[in-house]
Amino acid sequence: MGLISSIFGILGFSIGIPLGLLVGFFLFVYSEPKEVKETEVVPISDLGPNAVQELLSEIPVWMKSPDYERVDWMNKFLLYMWPSLDKAICRMIESMAKPIFAEYIGKYEIKNIEFETLSLGTLPPTICGIKVFETNENELIMEPIIKWAGNQNIVVALKLLSLQIKFQVVDLQIFAAPRITLKPLVPTIPCFANIVVSLLEKPHVDFGLKISGGDIMSIPGLYRYVQETIKKQVATLYLWPQALEIPIIDESSVAIKKPVGILHVNVIRALKLLKMDLLGTSDPYVKLSLSGDKLPAKKTTIKKRNLNPEWNEKFKLVVKDPDSQVLQLEVFDWDKIGEDDKIGMQLIPLKLLKPCESKEFTLDLLKDTNVTEPPNRKPRGQIVVDLTFAPFREESFGGHLENGADRSSDEDVQGAGLLSVLIQEAEEVEGKSHNNPYALVFFRGEKKKTKMLRKTRDPRWNEEFQFMLEEPPLHEKIHIEVMSKRTFFRFLSKESLGYVEINLNDVVNNGRINDKYHLIDSRNGAIHVEIRWHGLS
């Protein structure tokens, strides 16, 4: 029976396979194909709340909100830069962690802690969208949406007694919405002094943690506890308005220093000046300037044929750094023909002055700044000056002094001070025949002018002008006008692109205004101006 059943099995296999292939061939050739149903397109509104909610999580942020922009170019940039960024960030992490690890070595029988492996993987973060804000301040604000699901390899080896325990972070995923502020913007690469980072919402951080190969995150309740602890700690430190400030360059070395006071200079007299003329006399005058000041030097009147001139002429100079600035005094002999001859000079460091205290100096004139002249040098005479440094009031803008006093009445702002006008930029200024814009500032009979920028409707000047006043400009206006000038043909070469008149009452009471103003007689033009009032203490 066994033999017979084996024979029948072989015969069935040999006959059944060809017969099945033959039947299958005829069915494939002669059978009619079934009609394929077209995909049904359903409006998203008909899917129901659950289906819509599932789809929304996959839609990029730049599609949900028109305020966000696509930054595929930035993601491509990160992709190419990531190998170098990975190494740089890992070195930074190692340098930051080294002192933290050192604090625990020797405690709790811990002999050593170190990174056995530290790599952020080959997958860079993805920026799903970015929003950029424009403000009147000297800063740039960005709000990116960052997702990162990388293939990191982070292993920390801890040597405890004779045991070596390894901690490995795996499957790290981060979702964050930070606000990144670059401020202040400065005229030196990388063009900003600080990076300020804060989080607009609690971040989502997900990761696995293995200890000696075992995943401890699988312990019931531990995963949720770790998640909530991380969110809470990060939110405490960096959730807005808390922020992390990262200094990039020294702001004081590159930023434009603001005025801090006024130096009152009274050039009183000179004594026994060196004879410079053939007739045995001199025609002296004095030039005075502050170091680091790009403004032209101020001059006294000329006292003809006088070796002991009396001036008693007063000047005011704007001080930006009393600890480092120096007053330079130069006495010249005026010549009718040719250059004036230098009689002598002197330097007075402002750090020798006490605020609001007058100090008189009687100084021997030197040939140049070399103070180590030989003892037998030719006497050049002496100069007598009286100096007073008057610092500005310490104030916080917004109408209040730092001591909390309100500056609401005119009596609170009486006194001399400095009016600073910063012409930052203009937008959409359009001329009829040419666009080479420059700005003019008119105040109390004085006229200041910015540089001219060629062929642009959006000029950026960033030029500051100063007016020293004996009293605050209450109930006064300042006139600012944008002009354009033809560069070749001079006939009818100038044309106005718009103007604005700004009331200075708010500037005096609040200390500062910073705003954009629509230009009168211009279709869409606007100008960005910052004005400050520095009252003397």
Side-chain angles (χ1 to χ4, degrees), residues 92 181 183 192-197 243-249:
M92 186 184 300
T181 305
K183 68 175 185 180
F192 53 88
N194 301 293
I195 300 177
V196 182
V197 182
L244 170 65
E245 184 168 346
I246 306 171
I248 303 299
I249 55 178

Side-chain angles (χ1 to χ4, degrees), residues 142-391:
M142 300 176 290
E143 291 184 0
I145 302 296
I146 300 175
K147 288 184 178 181
W148 186 25
N151 52 350
Q152 306 85 1
N153 188 10
I154 304 173
V155 180
V156 178
L158 182 147
K159 191 172 183 181
L160 182 64
L161 295 176
S162 59
L163 300 175
Q164 188 173 25
I165 305 174
K166 294 184 180 180
F167 298 85
Q168 183 179 11
V169 178
V170 295
D171 300 329
L172 177 61
Q173 298 182 27
I174 298 174
F175 175 82
R179 171 176 290 174
I180 302 173
T181 305
L182 310 179
K183 68 175 185 180
L185 303 180
V186 294
T188 301
I189 298 294
C191 299
F192 53 88
N194 301 293
I195 300 177
V196 182
V197 182
S198 59
L199 297 173
L200 300 180
E201 58 185 41
K202 292 182 179 180
H204 173 75
V205 181
D206 190 8
F207 63 93
L209 181 61
K210 292 183 179 181
I211 299 180
S212 298
D215 189 0
I216 66 169
M217 287 300 181
S218 60
I219 299 176
L222 181 61
Y223 174 78
R224 183 177 296 275
Y225 173 76
V226 172
Q227 288 282 323
E228 294 300 323
T229 302
I230 292 175
K231 287 183 180 181
K232 184 177 180 180
Q233 292 299 321
V234 173
T236 302
L237 295 174
Y238 306 122
L239 190 63
W240 191 89
Q242 305 297 327
L244 170 65
E245 184 168 346
I246 306 171
I248 303 299
I249 55 178
D250 185 4
E251 180 182 349
S252 61
S253 63
V254 295
I256 299 175
K257 293 184 177 180
K258 297 297 182 181
V260 297
I262 293 178
L263 178 66
H264 297 266
V265 183
N266 182 13
V267 182
I268 301 174
R269 66 179 69 89
L271 305 170
K272 300 178 182 179
L273 293 178
L274 187 65
K275 300 174 183 178
M276 304 296 291
D277 295 340
L278 295 176
L279 300 178
T281 184
S282 293
D283 303 321
Y285 68 91
V286 181
K287 289 175 63 176
L288 53 157
S289 60
L290 280 175
S291 61
D293 195 348
K294 298 180 181 180
L295 297 176
K298 298 182 181 293
K299 297 180 182 180
T300 64
T301 56
I302 300 171
K303 300 294 182 180
K304 294 189 176 181
R305 297 181 294 277
N306 196 333
L307 298 179
N308 297 281
E310 292 272 351
W311 283 289
N312 280 313
E313 296 182 15
K314 298 180 180 180
F315 303 89
K316 296 176 183 178
L317 303 174
V318 178
V319 179
K320 296 182 178 179
D321 189 355
D323 294 327
S324 64
Q325 283 188 291
V326 175
L327 174 65
Q328 179 172 290
L329 300 164
E330 296 177 291
V331 183
F332 287 87
D333 172 45
W334 176 78
D335 287 332
K336 200 169 189 179
I337 302 175
E339 293 185 0
D340 299 340
D341 299 320
K342 187 176 180 179
I343 300 175
M345 66 168 297
Q346 257 298 353
L347 302 175
I348 305 177
L350 299 191
K351 62 183 179 181
L352 300 177
L353 305 176
K354 294 182 178 180
C356 302
E357 289 187 12
S358 178
K359 188 172 183 179
E360 186 175 297
F361 294 85
T362 302
L363 306 169
D364 294 330
L365 294 174
L366 305 176
K367 183 179 179 180
D368 50 37
T369 56
N370 182 14
V371 294
T372 59
E373 290 187 359
N376 57 351
R377 69 181 188 273
K378 184 186 297 185
R380 296 178 174 273
Q382 295 180 317
I383 186 169
V384 182
V385 294
D386 184 82
L387 306 181
T388 305
F389 171 57

